Amino acid sequence: MSNAQYWIARKGQPLQGSLVIPGDKSVSHRAVMFAALADGTSTIEGFLEGEDTRATARIFSQLGVRIETPSASRRIVHGVGIDGLQAPTAPLDCGNAGTGMRLLSGLLAGQRFDCTLVGDESLSGRPMRRVTGPLALMGARIDTEDDGTPPLHVHGGQPLRGIEFASPVASAQVKSAVLLAALYAEGETSVVEPHPTRDYTERMLAAFGVDIEYAPGKARLRGGQRLRATDIVVPADFSSAAFFLVAASIIPGSELRLCQVGLNPRRTGLLHALRLMGADIREENPAEQGGEPVADLVVRYAPLKGARIPEALVPDMIDEFPALFVAAAAAQGQTVVTGAAELRVKESDRLAAMATGLRALGMQVDETEDGATLHGGAVLGSGTIESHGDHRIAMAFAIAGQISGGEVRINDVDNVATSFPGFDALAGGAGFSLSTG
Ligand code: S3P
């Protein structure tokens, strides 16, 4: 990923209007994967045209699956059946996508052929033993670098067996990797989590006709089942909407409507956290889309106050901390985050990246091993921010720029296209001052 692009963010207008947020990244990855493995043809509506999810679609083309793109955000996937994938002739490039690589490691562990999963610089530094460990217990053979990072060399033709896995980490990616390998394993596999995480794999496998038992924090399935093609509607991504929820909450005079956003309860921790801080967010026009709850979110400026974020909320808002930190900058008083050490192994070390960036703008942030104390309420100044190629760090500081008294330069913003293509245009249309250099 090149470092060519930067943004200059400064105070803009109060945010106004109705915004349509792109499709959910987690759901889009899984929709392509499961449709590819199904018997029959599936249509995906609302597919996220991001680099991460396109990388996953490209990988399935390499594995012999025909995928049509009749128009933007639509895919027609001609499934090849659970045992129909073909050996690829080149490494499979997951780009920046941890979800892509970790879920694929489970899915590919059960194939007859060998393959190699590679990623970009950020993904190449991320921990993979959290998935290769439990997969090895099932009989899989996956080699990593000595420090447990990619590339992953997956050795095919290994007979897999079901396990009872008590995951040490609250991670939907780990749970999903094990459940996907379980489709190819003899006997039953169960996963128990230390805290419930997003359950899209479970819900969507059920939608594809798999007999799977699940409840918050646990899932169980029997190997040897086939998937039946189905049509998937992808809801708007709450994690992308999150940036606008925070921005409209902290920019005086703002009122935004975010249309039909996915509100899976395992994703919406930020709503609770912002409301604890005094945010004014209403849910209107509730409906169901592709089996997921959705609603319009109407957010109005409100003066925020600092809060202690309950640790129980952390897994439900794991991708939202960059945005939350900016809300904490605008809030009066201290915001305290604990129990969030997982943030250190995301697309960047998000605790360090946010703390360093906010300090560069003049804010006091006391970083700890698993969180931070943020001293809010001071006016932010000018400064230069390194996004570390992390889409969510870049977008968070685009918001910080809107409440700064100066000019915020954000380096290395190309990666925003991994999850939120068109963010800058949408934000600009709503009132942001954000120019590209
Ligand atoms: C995801 C799970 C989370 C999240 C990521 C998407 C998923 O990661 O941070 O953006 O789609 O399963 P972890 O499972 O590592 O917490």
Side-chain angles (χ1 to χ4, degrees), residues 325-355:
F325 275 32
V326 177
Q332 290 298 327
Q334 287 184 11
T335 295
V336 182
V337 173
T338 55
E342 274 293 300
L343 296 178
R344 295 207 181 274
V345 290
K346 293 294 176 187
E347 285 83 329
S348 68
D349 175 342
R350 287 185 173 159
L351 288 175
M354 287 307 298

mmCIF file of all heavy atoms in Angstrom, residues 325-355:
data_model
loop_
_atom_site.group_PDB
_atom_site.id
_atom_site.type_symbol
_atom_site.label_atom_id
_atom_site.label_comp_id
_atom_site.label_asym_id
_atom_site.label_seq_id
_atom_site.Cartn_x
_atom_site.Cartn_y
_atom_site.Cartn_z
ATOM 1 N N PHE A 325 -12.350 7.225 20.995
ATOM 2 C CA PHE A 325 -11.295 8.083 21.540
ATOM 3 C C PHE A 325 -11.500 9.538 21.118
ATOM 4 O O PHE A 325 -11.181 10.460 21.864
ATOM 5 C CB PHE A 325 -9.906 7.594 21.092
ATOM 6 C CG PHE A 325 -9.323 6.508 21.971
ATOM 7 C CD1 PHE A 325 -10.141 5.592 22.606
ATOM 8 C CD2 PHE A 325 -7.953 6.397 22.149
ATOM 9 C CE1 PHE A 325 -9.612 4.584 23.417
ATOM 10 C CE2 PHE A 325 -7.405 5.406 22.964
ATOM 11 C CZ PHE A 325 -8.236 4.491 23.593
ATOM 12 N N VAL A 326 -12.019 9.729 19.914
ATOM 13 C CA VAL A 326 -12.258 11.101 19.449
ATOM 14 C C VAL A 326 -13.464 11.693 20.187
ATOM 15 O O VAL A 326 -13.453 12.873 20.576
ATOM 16 C CB VAL A 326 -12.438 11.137 17.913
ATOM 17 C CG1 VAL A 326 -12.751 12.545 17.442
ATOM 18 C CG2 VAL A 326 -11.177 10.615 17.238
ATOM 19 N N ALA A 327 -14.477 10.872 20.437
ATOM 20 C CA ALA A 327 -15.606 11.343 21.260
ATOM 21 C C ALA A 327 -15.085 11.745 22.637
ATOM 22 O O ALA A 327 -15.493 12.779 23.196
ATOM 23 C CB ALA A 327 -16.669 10.252 21.384
ATOM 24 N N ALA A 328 -14.158 10.953 23.177
ATOM 25 C CA ALA A 328 -13.600 11.246 24.501
ATOM 26 C C ALA A 328 -12.798 12.551 24.494
ATOM 27 O O ALA A 328 -12.771 13.271 25.492
ATOM 28 C CB ALA A 328 -12.708 10.089 24.955
ATOM 29 N N ALA A 329 -12.178 12.861 23.361
ATOM 30 C CA ALA A 329 -11.424 14.122 23.255
ATOM 31 C C ALA A 329 -12.370 15.305 23.375
ATOM 32 O O ALA A 329 -12.041 16.328 23.991
ATOM 33 C CB ALA A 329 -10.670 14.169 21.921
ATOM 34 N N ALA A 330 -13.573 15.166 22.794
ATOM 35 C CA ALA A 330 -14.535 16.276 22.816
ATOM 36 C C ALA A 330 -15.290 16.358 24.137
ATOM 37 O O ALA A 330 -15.847 17.402 24.473
ATOM 38 C CB ALA A 330 -15.532 16.100 21.665
ATOM 39 N N ALA A 331 -15.331 15.236 24.879
ATOM 40 C CA ALA A 331 -16.145 15.177 26.105
ATOM 41 C C ALA A 331 -15.467 15.947 27.241
ATOM 42 O O ALA A 331 -14.244 16.008 27.306
ATOM 43 C CB ALA A 331 -16.343 13.717 26.504
ATOM 44 N N GLN A 332 -16.291 16.471 28.145
ATOM 45 C CA GLN A 332 -15.741 17.105 29.355
ATOM 46 C C GLN A 332 -15.366 16.007 30.339
ATOM 47 O O GLN A 332 -16.182 15.122 30.608
ATOM 48 C CB GLN A 332 -16.789 18.022 30.015
ATOM 49 C CG GLN A 332 -17.084 19.284 29.220
ATOM 50 C CD GLN A 332 -15.846 20.178 29.071
ATOM 51 O OE1 GLN A 332 -14.992 20.252 29.947
ATOM 52 N NE2 GLN A 332 -15.741 20.845 27.918
ATOM 53 N N GLY A 333 -14.137 16.057 30.849
ATOM 54 C CA GLY A 333 -13.732 15.102 31.883
ATOM 55 C C GLY A 333 -13.041 13.878 31.306
ATOM 56 O O GLY A 333 -12.723 13.825 30.115
ATOM 57 N N GLN A 334 -12.850 12.888 32.186
ATOM 58 C CA GLN A 334 -12.039 11.722 31.813
ATOM 59 C C GLN A 334 -12.885 10.586 31.259
ATOM 60 O O GLN A 334 -13.951 10.282 31.773
ATOM 61 C CB GLN A 334 -11.331 11.177 33.054
ATOM 62 C CG GLN A 334 -10.189 12.042 33.517
ATOM 63 C CD GLN A 334 -9.451 11.396 34.691
ATOM 64 O OE1 GLN A 334 -9.681 10.231 35.014
ATOM 65 N NE2 GLN A 334 -8.570 12.158 35.308
ATOM 66 N N THR A 335 -12.336 9.936 30.250
ATOM 67 C CA THR A 335 -12.910 8.672 29.780
ATOM 68 C C THR A 335 -11.869 7.592 30.039
ATOM 69 O O THR A 335 -10.689 7.769 29.714
ATOM 70 C CB THR A 335 -13.260 8.758 28.277
ATOM 71 O OG1 THR A 335 -14.297 9.732 28.129
ATOM 72 C CG2 THR A 335 -13.739 7.425 27.728
ATOM 73 N N VAL A 336 -12.325 6.491 30.637
ATOM 74 C CA VAL A 336 -11.387 5.430 31.024
ATOM 75 C C VAL A 336 -11.742 4.149 30.278
ATOM 76 O O VAL A 336 -12.882 3.678 30.333
ATOM 77 C CB VAL A 336 -11.431 5.191 32.548
ATOM 78 C CG1 VAL A 336 -10.428 4.123 32.965
ATOM 79 C CG2 VAL A 336 -11.171 6.497 33.296
ATOM 80 N N VAL A 337 -10.743 3.613 29.564
ATOM 81 C CA VAL A 337 -10.911 2.365 28.817
ATOM 82 C C VAL A 337 -9.993 1.319 29.428
ATOM 83 O O VAL A 337 -8.783 1.578 29.599
ATOM 84 C CB VAL A 337 -10.559 2.570 27.320
ATOM 85 C CG1 VAL A 337 -10.572 1.241 26.567
ATOM 86 C CG2 VAL A 337 -11.514 3.563 26.671
ATOM 87 N N THR A 338 -10.529 0.162 29.773
ATOM 88 C CA THR A 338 -9.725 -0.957 30.287
ATOM 89 C C THR A 338 -10.195 -2.238 29.593
ATOM 90 O O THR A 338 -11.253 -2.252 28.960
ATOM 91 C CB THR A 338 -9.920 -1.142 31.815
ATOM 92 O OG1 THR A 338 -11.325 -1.298 32.073
ATOM 93 C CG2 THR A 338 -9.403 0.047 32.614
ATOM 94 N N GLY A 339 -9.389 -3.290 29.709
ATOM 95 C CA GLY A 339 -9.794 -4.599 29.172
ATOM 96 C C GLY A 339 -9.813 -4.644 27.654
ATOM 97 O O GLY A 339 -10.533 -5.442 27.063
ATOM 98 N N ALA A 340 -9.015 -3.785 27.021
ATOM 99 C CA ALA A 340 -9.068 -3.686 25.563
ATOM 100 C C ALA A 340 -7.697 -3.954 24.930
ATOM 101 O O ALA A 340 -7.336 -3.353 23.920
ATOM 102 C CB ALA A 340 -9.591 -2.310 25.151
ATOM 103 N N ALA A 341 -6.941 -4.914 25.494
ATOM 104 C CA ALA A 341 -5.596 -5.221 24.977
ATOM 105 C C ALA A 341 -5.635 -5.724 23.537
ATOM 106 O O ALA A 341 -4.656 -5.584 22.798
ATOM 107 C CB ALA A 341 -4.914 -6.256 25.875
ATOM 108 N N GLU A 342 -6.785 -6.300 23.112
ATOM 109 C CA GLU A 342 -6.899 -6.774 21.727
ATOM 110 C C GLU A 342 -6.639 -5.659 20.707
ATOM 111 O O GLU A 342 -6.280 -5.913 19.570
ATOM 112 C CB GLU A 342 -8.296 -7.361 21.487
ATOM 113 C CG GLU A 342 -8.426 -8.816 21.858
ATOM 114 C CD GLU A 342 -7.603 -9.729 20.948
ATOM 115 O OE1 GLU A 342 -7.835 -9.753 19.746
ATOM 116 O OE2 GLU A 342 -6.699 -10.406 21.469
ATOM 117 N N LEU A 343 -6.863 -4.406 21.146
ATOM 118 C CA LEU A 343 -6.649 -3.280 20.222
ATOM 119 C C LEU A 343 -5.202 -3.190 19.764
ATOM 120 O O LEU A 343 -4.909 -2.564 18.753
ATOM 121 C CB LEU A 343 -7.049 -1.958 20.895
ATOM 122 C CG LEU A 343 -8.527 -1.827 21.247
ATOM 123 C CD1 LEU A 343 -8.787 -0.502 21.955
ATOM 124 C CD2 LEU A 343 -9.370 -1.918 19.973
ATOM 125 N N ARG A 344 -4.305 -3.828 20.498
ATOM 126 C CA ARG A 344 -2.883 -3.760 20.116
ATOM 127 C C ARG A 344 -2.555 -4.665 18.929
ATOM 128 O O ARG A 344 -1.466 -4.566 18.380
ATOM 129 C CB ARG A 344 -2.011 -4.119 21.320
ATOM 130 C CG ARG A 344 -2.143 -3.108 22.454
ATOM 131 C CD ARG A 344 -0.895 -3.062 23.306
ATOM 132 N NE ARG A 344 -1.033 -2.106 24.391
ATOM 133 C CZ ARG A 344 -0.770 -0.799 24.278
ATOM 134 N NH1 ARG A 344 -0.340 -0.292 23.133
ATOM 135 N NH2 ARG A 344 -0.933 -0.002 25.308
ATOM 136 N N VAL A 345 -3.461 -5.587 18.580
ATOM 137 C CA VAL A 345 -3.169 -6.497 17.458
ATOM 138 C C VAL A 345 -4.191 -6.370 16.324
ATOM 139 O O VAL A 345 -4.476 -7.319 15.615
ATOM 140 C CB VAL A 345 -3.045 -7.974 17.926
ATOM 141 C CG1 VAL A 345 -1.789 -8.166 18.749
ATOM 142 C CG2 VAL A 345 -4.277 -8.429 18.707
ATOM 143 N N LYS A 346 -4.731 -5.173 16.163
ATOM 144 C CA LYS A 346 -5.626 -4.918 15.017
ATOM 145 C C LYS A 346 -4.769 -4.481 13.826
ATOM 146 O O LYS A 346 -3.578 -4.737 13.794
ATOM 147 C CB LYS A 346 -6.666 -3.870 15.411
ATOM 148 C CG LYS A 346 -7.647 -4.372 16.472
ATOM 149 C CD LYS A 346 -8.505 -5.496 15.933
ATOM 150 C CE LYS A 346 -9.416 -6.091 16.983
ATOM 151 N NZ LYS A 346 -10.111 -7.287 16.478
ATOM 152 N N GLU A 347 -5.369 -3.782 12.838
ATOM 153 C CA GLU A 347 -4.628 -3.396 11.646
ATOM 154 C C GLU A 347 -3.393 -2.579 12.016
ATOM 155 O O GLU A 347 -2.416 -2.506 11.279
ATOM 156 C CB GLU A 347 -5.528 -2.624 10.677
ATOM 157 C CG GLU A 347 -6.531 -3.495 9.921
ATOM 158 C CD GLU A 347 -7.802 -3.812 10.697
ATOM 159 O OE1 GLU A 347 -7.770 -3.906 11.959
ATOM 160 O OE2 GLU A 347 -8.850 -3.970 10.032
ATOM 161 N N SER A 348 -3.461 -1.887 13.165
ATOM 162 C CA SER A 348 -2.264 -1.295 13.785
ATOM 163 C C SER A 348 -2.443 -1.509 15.289
ATOM 164 O O SER A 348 -3.470 -2.025 15.727
ATOM 165 C CB SER A 348 -2.180 0.207 13.474
ATOM 166 O OG SER A 348 -3.228 0.906 14.141
ATOM 167 N N ASP A 349 -1.449 -1.099 16.073
ATOM 168 C CA ASP A 349 -1.629 -1.061 17.530
ATOM 169 C C ASP A 349 -2.484 0.181 17.803
ATOM 170 O O ASP A 349 -1.985 1.308 17.862
ATOM 171 C CB ASP A 349 -0.267 -0.959 18.225
ATOM 172 C CG ASP A 349 -0.404 -0.804 19.740
ATOM 173 O OD1 ASP A 349 -1.500 -0.443 20.219
ATOM 174 O OD2 ASP A 349 0.605 -1.038 20.426
ATOM 175 N N ARG A 350 -3.789 -0.047 17.902
ATOM 176 C CA ARG A 350 -4.715 1.098 17.927
ATOM 177 C C ARG A 350 -4.631 1.907 19.211
ATOM 178 O O ARG A 350 -4.938 3.102 19.198
ATOM 179 C CB ARG A 350 -6.156 0.628 17.661
ATOM 180 C CG ARG A 350 -6.339 0.242 16.215
ATOM 181 C CD ARG A 350 -7.756 -0.123 15.862
ATOM 182 N NE ARG A 350 -7.839 -0.308 14.413
ATOM 183 C CZ ARG A 350 -8.779 -0.996 13.796
ATOM 184 N NH1 ARG A 350 -9.736 -1.579 14.502
ATOM 185 N NH2 ARG A 350 -8.784 -1.103 12.485
ATOM 186 N N LEU A 351 -4.234 1.283 20.313
ATOM 187 C CA LEU A 351 -4.073 2.079 21.542
ATOM 188 C C LEU A 351 -2.922 3.051 21.344
ATOM 189 O O LEU A 351 -3.033 4.247 21.646
ATOM 190 C CB LEU A 351 -3.807 1.166 22.741
ATOM 191 C CG LEU A 351 -4.996 0.345 23.250
ATOM 192 C CD1 LEU A 351 -4.550 -0.612 24.355
ATOM 193 C CD2 LEU A 351 -6.111 1.266 23.755
ATOM 194 N N ALA A 352 -1.811 2.558 20.819
ATOM 195 C CA ALA A 352 -0.642 3.420 20.630
ATOM 196 C C ALA A 352 -0.913 4.462 19.545
ATOM 197 O O ALA A 352 -0.591 5.645 19.710
ATOM 198 C CB ALA A 352 0.579 2.577 20.263
ATOM 199 N N ALA A 353 -1.510 4.037 18.440
ATOM 200 C CA ALA A 353 -1.729 4.969 17.316
ATOM 201 C C ALA A 353 -2.664 6.106 17.737
ATOM 202 O O ALA A 353 -2.414 7.278 17.406
ATOM 203 C CB ALA A 353 -2.311 4.223 16.113
ATOM 204 N N MET A 354 -3.714 5.793 18.487
ATOM 205 C CA MET A 354 -4.651 6.847 18.902
ATOM 206 C C MET A 354 -4.027 7.737 19.965
ATOM 207 O O MET A 354 -4.178 8.966 19.929
ATOM 208 C CB MET A 354 -5.962 6.245 19.421
ATOM 209 C CG MET A 354 -6.864 5.647 18.354
ATOM 210 S SD MET A 354 -7.259 6.749 16.973
ATOM 211 C CE MET A 354 -8.122 8.097 17.779
ATOM 212 N N ALA A 355 -3.332 7.122 20.938
ATOM 213 C CA ALA A 355 -2.737 7.925 22.003
ATOM 214 C C ALA A 355 -1.692 8.874 21.421
ATOM 215 O O ALA A 355 -1.682 10.073 21.734
ATOM 216 C CB ALA A 355 -2.114 7.007 23.056
#
